[in-house]
Amino acid sequence: MRSFVTSSLLLSVAAAAVIRDPENHGHRNNKKFNVQVGPRPYYLVDNMDEGPLKKKLQSCSEGPFKVSDFNFAHRGAPLQFPEHTLESYKAARRMGAGVIECDVAFTNDRKLVCRHDQCDLHTTTNVLSHPELAAKCSTPFEPATDGKPANVKCCTYDFTLAEFKTLCGKMDGFNPNATTVEEYQDGTAAWRTDLYSNQCPTLMSHDEYIKLVKGWGLKMTPELKTPAKGVMPFNGYTQAQFAQDLIDAYKRAGVSSKQVWPQSFLPDDVFYWIDNEPAFGRQAVYLDERVDTVQGYLNATASIPELKRRGVKILAPAFFALTKLDENKKIVPSEYAIAAKKAGMKLVGWSFERSGRITEETIEDGTYYYELVKDVMNNDGDIYKVLDVLAREVGIMAMFTDWPATVTYYASCFGL
């Protein structure tokens, strides 16, 4: 008998959903758009332990697979495509993401661009291959020497928008032991790939991202990236102006506030939107990183009612904080998740498919996204066990993911 993976792959291309595609983008027929999930979800399902969840997911092998707002594309599809590039966004769309993310940073001339960090150009672009631009970096490249790692920092605000747009995206990674620029840029994790990084992946301004995603008829979730301590105000540019500029871009583009989930790790950004742009503030997402420590987790959980009174409606911690194991080693909602539900808060988790391989060897030392449930994790397919609890018991409204097809498969199977 053929395996589930083999048989399902033969037919999976036919399993697709149709949405309107207002822009051709190279497709011969611009009236239909087929959501395709590719082989990875089938690999994961085949890898699962036997049980009801596996049988349910197997029963959905031929789709149809549909675009879902449960699916927030984290930086596009960065498991395999350079993050926040046109190519990464196209891949996310093809895999059924209903909401696509742009992490928003600013350039030297105060233009907004899509980068995960204000200062990550040295690891996510080829800026170091441009000597005239590399010389403008906050910290020019310093090779590894005498046991000290290589050092460099290139920020979006080191360059103008025009200079930024001359760069090519690359997979996020670096070699800390590098003695040359070429060695430094060769640091892609073994479980990712450089297969789609060779033809100068296209960096995106925030305005270009809005036009693109709006044209696709999808929704948007921009994250205002907090600059490093001491940077703001930047030549008179304040954090409040930065927060306002983000919202103004959607207003100029005629995008409804209902189509946008602005996010920030900085509570003051979220409060600013609630107070000054209430239509957008209603869908503002507070990215809660306090849960990373034991005391922080307890404080964050206790603070949920006060955040609700302040007007925050959506919380988004790393998804490890939303589940735990009970005394029977069963994955169940965490205290944080229960408190949020009691307060009437919505929850978003981040970020699925970001942890690398899940094996008995790698999980025993702790994996960030599965830290509280690692005792019942032993293979890649187990990530679907966690997603199932998050979706059906915790009741998250959405999941950020580095590979949208994995979440699309689940969401379509369960009608999310």
Side-chain angles (χ1 to χ4, degrees):
M1 180 181 292
R2 291 179 298 177
S3 72
F4 170 65
V5 169
T6 304
S7 60
S8 57
L9 279 175
L10 293 175
L11 296 173
S12 63
V13 172
V18 177
I19 63 173
R20 292 295 175 183
D21 179 14
E23 297 182 11
N24 196 335
H25 290 293
H27 300 296
R28 290 185 178 182
N29 184 349
N30 66 351
K31 294 183 179 180
K32 293 182 179 180
F33 184 82
N34 298 317
V35 173
Q36 298 178 4
V37 297
R40 181 159 176 78
Y42 301 94
Y43 164 80
L44 292 172
V45 173
D46 198 49
N47 190 241
M48 293 176 68
D49 295 332
E50 298 299 325
L53 178 59
K54 181 174 182 175
K55 289 181 179 179
K56 170 63 176 175
L57 291 172
Q58 285 176 328
S59 75
C60 300
S61 66
E62 311 316 318
F65 300 115
K66 302 178 180 180
V67 174
S68 173
D69 290 351
F70 181 77
N71 194 338
F72 279 23
H74 182 237
R75 315 186 200 182
L79 183 64
Q80 294 193 30
F81 289 82
E83 62 190 50
H84 291 312
T85 61
L86 174 61
E87 293 75 13
S88 189
Y89 289 148
K90 282 184 173 181
R93 179 205 185 201
R94 176 62 66 185
M95 290 186 279
V99 183
I100 295 180
E101 181 189 45
C102 168
D103 292 317
V104 182
F106 60 84
T107 61
N108 189 268
D109 46 354
R110 299 197 334 197
K111 304 298 183 182
L112 305 187
V113 296
C114 297
R115 282 294 92 196
H116 177 253
D117 193 285
Q118 297 276 6
C119 295
D120 71 0
L121 296 185
H122 49 289
T123 66
T124 64
T125 77
N126 68 339
V127 64
L128 297 180
S129 297
H130 295 262
E132 72 284 1
L133 294 181
K136 295 184 177 183
C137 289
S138 293
T139 303
F141 178 73
E142 300 169 357
T145 182
D146 297 329
K148 295 181 181 180
N151 185 37
V152 60
K153 184 171 76 171
C154 302
C155 305
T156 56
Y157 50 75
D158 291 332
F159 309 101
T160 65
L161 175 61
E163 291 170 331
F164 173 86
K165 289 292 291 181
T166 67
L167 303 177
C168 302
K170 78 173 193 68
M171 292 299 284
D172 187 14
F174 67 99
N175 176 3
N177 300 313
T179 58
T180 67
V181 164
E182 291 75 20
E183 289 177 348
Y184 185 84
Q185 294 181 119
D186 185 19
T188 302
W191 45 274
R192 291 183 174 165
T193 179
D194 289 317
L195 185 62
Y196 304 109
S197 302
N198 295 326
Q199 299 299 319
C200 193
T202 310
L203 300 193
M204 303 288 290
S205 72
H206 183 226
D207 285 344
E208 289 171 330
Y209 152 84
I210 293 173
K211 182 179 180 180
L212 182 75
V213 180
K214 180 185 178 184
W216 288 340
L218 301 178
K219 298 174 183 176
M220 300 160 233
T221 181
E223 180 189 336
L224 198 72
K225 300 306 298 189
T226 305
K229 185 176 180 180
V231 170
M232 302 299 273
F234 178 80
N235 295 335
Y237 190 43
T238 67
Q239 188 69 26
Q241 287 174 307
F242 185 25
Q244 186 62 55
D245 284 349
L246 181 143
I247 299 301
D248 286 346
Y250 294 91
K251 291 174 155 182
R252 285 195 306 271
V255 177
S256 167
S257 61
K258 294 179 181 179
Q259 304 294 107
V260 183
W261 281 271
Q263 337 153 39
S264 181
F265 281 101
L266 191 65
D268 284 348
D269 291 339
V270 177
F271 299 153
Y272 178 88
W273 293 324
I274 291 169
D275 295 340
N276 296 280
E277 292 287 351
F280 288 88
R282 280 192 287 271
Q283 292 195 158
V285 180
Y286 174 34
L287 301 167
D288 193 353
E289 62 184 342
R290 299 172 298 169
V291 298
D292 281 358
T293 66
V294 173
Q295 189 58 50
Y297 175 90
L298 294 174
N299 292 342
T301 301
S303 75
I304 288 175
E306 178 57 32
L307 287 171
K308 180 62 182 296
R309 285 190 290 270
R310 185 61 182 82
V312 179
K313 298 181 183 298
I314 307 173
L315 295 173
F319 70 79
F320 81 84
L322 298 176
T323 60
K324 66 175 187 177
L325 296 180
D326 68 9
E327 62 275 9
N328 298 314
K329 298 290 186 180
K330 179 183 177 183
I331 302 173
V332 296
S334 69
E335 295 86 356
Y336 184 105
I338 292 169
K341 184 175 182 179
K342 182 178 179 180
M345 304 280 268
K346 294 180 179 180
L347 291 167
V348 178
W350 51 268
S351 295
F352 213 57
E353 292 276 46
R354 190 149 190 87
S355 59
R357 295 295 313 278
I358 303 296
T359 68
E360 290 183 1
E361 291 75 23
T362 60
I363 202 71
E364 66 182 13
D365 293 327
T367 296
Y368 178 71
Y369 291 101
Y370 300 98
E371 178 62 28
L372 300 184
V373 298
K374 65 181 181 181
D375 289 349
V376 296
M377 304 285 291
N378 57 56
N379 58 61
D380 286 334
D382 282 340
I383 67 176
Y384 269 135
K385 293 194 306 187
V386 178
L387 183 60
D388 189 57
V389 173
L390 289 167
R392 295 203 287 164
E393 296 186 42
V394 173
I396 60 173
M397 63 167 276
M399 173 62 83
F400 280 100
T401 176
D402 279 22
W403 196 242
T406 307
V407 174
T408 292
Y409 189 104
Y410 180 91
S412 294
C413 192
F414 284 92
L416 299 176

